[in-house]
Amino acid sequence: RDELLALWDERLNWSGEGVNYKLTGEPIDILLSWQILPGSEETWRQVLLSMEDISARKQAERELINSENRLRGMFEDSPVSLWEEDYSQIKNYLDQLRSDGVNDLMDHMSKHPEEVESCIRMIRVLDVNRRTLELFGAASKQEFIGNLDKVFRGEMRAHFRRELTDLWNGRLSHETEGINYTLAGKPLYIHLHFSVFPGYENTLERVLVAIEDVTARHKAEEYLRYLGAHDEMTKLYNRAYFQEEMKRLGKGRQFPVSIIIADLDGLKDVNDKLGHQAGDNLIRRAAEVLQAGFRKEDVIARIGGDEFAVILPTTRTPAAEEAIKHLQELIDINNKYYNNPVLSISLGVSTSERGSDLQQIMRIADDNMYCNKRIRKGVQATKNQ
């Protein structure tokens, strides 16, 4: 057909690829050329044809196409988010900094933090796979690439600075964890692997970025860290965290430090008469009152079954005693909302100046709490009489 069209157009020569067959039926890829010989232009009685076997080349081309299709399929169907990006503008920026005499990129970026944001805007995303669209909530590649400012923002700057530093130091692959955002604004905790394509080491025109969503793992790790520092029942800090804070503050500069020890009154009676669920609810009420009665910087912990402790940094005894007075007012208010059992807490305080042993201060506060408890029991016994 192509030959006939060439003749229709009154061409005197033609060349094209096609297929012939051996007598055995095996196909042969050929390059066919013909030329109408001089003197036969009107009649076409003499035409010279040449035929070249190009089977090997065509087979190589077919294998290349199949390979490309396989790679494209692997890219598109990968369970990991894959990005093909162009970092050539960033490469030019880094080269310009060197020519301007910059030797320490981290120092330069600490003085010019706005340039990190500028470098983020230099990233050109050439292609992404289907998993990327699913992960970031995009309906199409066009929508995703057109809204990269929603993805590249916020906490991304921290891990992108590390990426820039690696490129500055000649490392062409990089692995880190950080945060990106979906188009809807939801944070994604990601594990990112960055590598430069072979052949593009000098220009960074082609880089591959693989992103794995580790949000679930991050949340699990955060929860485990939370459990390691908090009491599950009350959500207050636990004894282990409290002791670590005692060590830290003992070496710090936030003196004077006041410590308040609080102990529930009558918890055993509540457990015996009303059951342990009622006792647990009373513990939670105590925790709510303590949380409401102190500052954000104060460390409130449950250090035993019915015992609590509060560290008040930069707080002298009068201020700590005022906090105890305020706490008692909150206890009275709490009891107005609960008929039974009554919430009652014995309290003791002690203050440490610089150089004092906080453990000793805590023991003094504990002694003061027990003194307060004895006084309260005596008052209660007098009332009962």
Side-chain angles (χ1 to χ4, degrees):
R1 184 187 62 184
D2 292 343
E3 289 183 61
L4 289 173
L5 288 172
L7 291 169
W8 178 266
D9 291 336
E10 298 182 349
R11 291 171 54 186
L12 300 179
N13 54 67
W14 178 87
S15 180
E17 295 180 359
V19 178
N20 277 174
Y21 292 86
K22 295 181 180 181
L23 298 184
T24 59
E26 181 184 350
I28 307 172
D29 291 294
I30 61 167
L31 175 63
L32 175 68
S33 300
W34 54 251
Q35 169 78 46
I36 297 176
L37 295 179
S40 297
E41 293 88 350
E42 299 295 330
T43 63
W44 305 347
R45 291 176 64 90
Q46 288 186 309
V47 181
L48 178 66
L49 289 88
S50 66
M51 204 176 293
E52 180 184 355
D53 182 1
I54 58 171
S55 299
R57 176 170 66 81
K58 295 298 289 184
Q59 180 61 27
E61 290 176 356
R62 283 190 287 270
E63 290 177 356
L64 179 61
I65 291 171
N66 289 337
S67 176
E68 290 174 348
N69 289 338
R70 275 199 307 275
L71 289 173
R72 170 52 56 180
M74 290 170 64
F75 178 85
E76 287 292 346
D77 298 329
S78 171
V80 175
S81 169
L82 296 177
W83 308 45
E84 186 180 354
E85 299 178 359
D86 179 352
Y87 268 47
S88 58
Q89 291 185 40
I90 294 176
K91 176 66 166 58
N92 294 337
Y93 163 77
L94 296 179
D95 289 345
Q96 184 61 50
L97 287 182
R98 290 187 194 279
S99 66
D100 291 342
V102 175
N103 295 317
D104 187 332
L105 182 65
M106 287 295 288
D107 179 66
H108 177 78
M109 288 190 296
S110 66
K111 295 176 181 175
H112 305 279
E114 72 284 354
E115 294 191 17
V116 177
E117 187 72 33
S118 298
C119 286
I120 291 175
R121 291 195 295 268
M122 292 179 191
I123 299 172
R124 288 187 59 228
V125 177
L126 305 176
D127 199 4
V128 295
N129 66 350
R130 280 191 284 269
R131 175 56 182 153
T132 304
L133 303 183
E134 294 169 2
L135 188 59
F136 288 88
S140 66
K141 293 183 180 181
Q142 291 77 14
E143 180 191 14
F144 180 72
I145 293 175
N147 288 278
L148 290 175
D149 58 322
K150 297 180 180 179
V151 178
F152 297 159
R153 63 184 177 89
E155 293 90 335
M156 177 193 171
R157 297 182 186 91
H159 72 76
F160 187 66
R161 281 184 65 171
R162 296 192 292 271
E163 192 174 309
L164 288 175
T165 303
D166 275 359
L167 289 173
W168 177 266
N169 293 325
R171 288 192 285 272
L172 300 179
S173 64
H174 176 82
E175 197 166 355
T176 189
E177 294 196 352
I179 298 178
N180 279 171
Y181 290 84
T182 67
L183 297 191
K186 177 184 175 183
L188 285 175
Y189 293 89
I190 62 168
H191 182 92
L192 179 147
H193 186 277
F194 168 100
S195 59
V196 178
F197 275 79
Y200 294 94
E201 295 86 353
N202 294 327
T203 64
L204 306 186
E205 289 180 344
R206 290 291 184 278
V207 300
L208 179 67
V209 174
I211 289 178
E212 182 183 359
D213 180 10
V214 295
T215 303
R217 190 199 76 195
H218 177 83
K219 288 182 177 179
E221 291 172 349
E222 283 290 305
Y223 183 61
L224 288 174
R225 281 193 288 269
Y226 178 86
L227 289 180
H230 290 78
D231 171 59
E232 188 173 0
M233 180 189 292
T234 63
K235 312 308 178 190
L236 300 178
Y237 289 117
N238 59 22
R239 188 180 188 92
Y241 183 86
F242 179 83
Q243 292 295 342
E244 287 299 316
E245 282 297 288
M246 288 273 284
K247 292 178 184 177
R248 185 183 70 82
L249 288 168
K251 300 174 183 177
R253 302 179 178 179
Q254 294 179 283
F255 286 94
V257 176
S258 289
I259 297 177
I260 294 174
I261 299 296
D263 192 89
L264 273 176
D265 298 328
L267 180 62
K268 184 178 184 304
D269 289 341
V270 172
N271 285 333
D272 292 343
K273 295 176 182 178
L274 301 177
H276 284 275
Q277 184 174 355
D280 290 347
N281 288 336
L282 194 63
I283 291 172
R284 293 189 186 96
R285 285 171 58 191
E288 291 171 4
V289 168
L290 288 167
Q291 282 183 315
F294 294 98
R295 305 167 302 183
K296 288 184 179 180
E297 62 266 31
D298 298 331
V299 179
I300 311 167
R302 183 186 179 199
I303 60 174
D306 57 357
E307 191 173 11
F308 302 85
V310 185
I311 306 174
L312 297 87
T314 62
T315 304
R316 299 188 181 279
T317 301
E321 290 175 344
E322 188 65 29
I324 287 177
K325 182 180 177 182
H326 175 59
L327 190 66
Q328 189 58 59
E329 293 172 355
L330 292 175
I331 293 171
D332 294 339
I333 293 172
N334 185 274
N335 280 320
K336 291 179 180 179
Y337 291 92
Y338 296 90
N339 293 326
N340 194 41
V342 173
L343 177 63
S344 176
I345 303 176
S346 297
L347 299 154
V349 64
S350 183
T351 301
S352 169
E353 298 295 336
R354 188 178 304 278
S356 301
D357 181 4
L358 288 186
Q359 292 293 342
Q360 178 62 26
I361 297 302
M362 183 176 173
R363 284 191 288 270
I364 295 172
D366 197 49
D367 290 342
N368 291 338
M369 180 274 295
Y370 278 112
C371 181
N372 179 248
K373 187 178 287 286
R374 286 192 294 270
I375 293 171
R376 293 163 70 86
K377 282 184 177 179
V379 172
Q380 187 63 44
T382 301
K383 287 182 179 180
N384 292 338
Q385 289 175 358

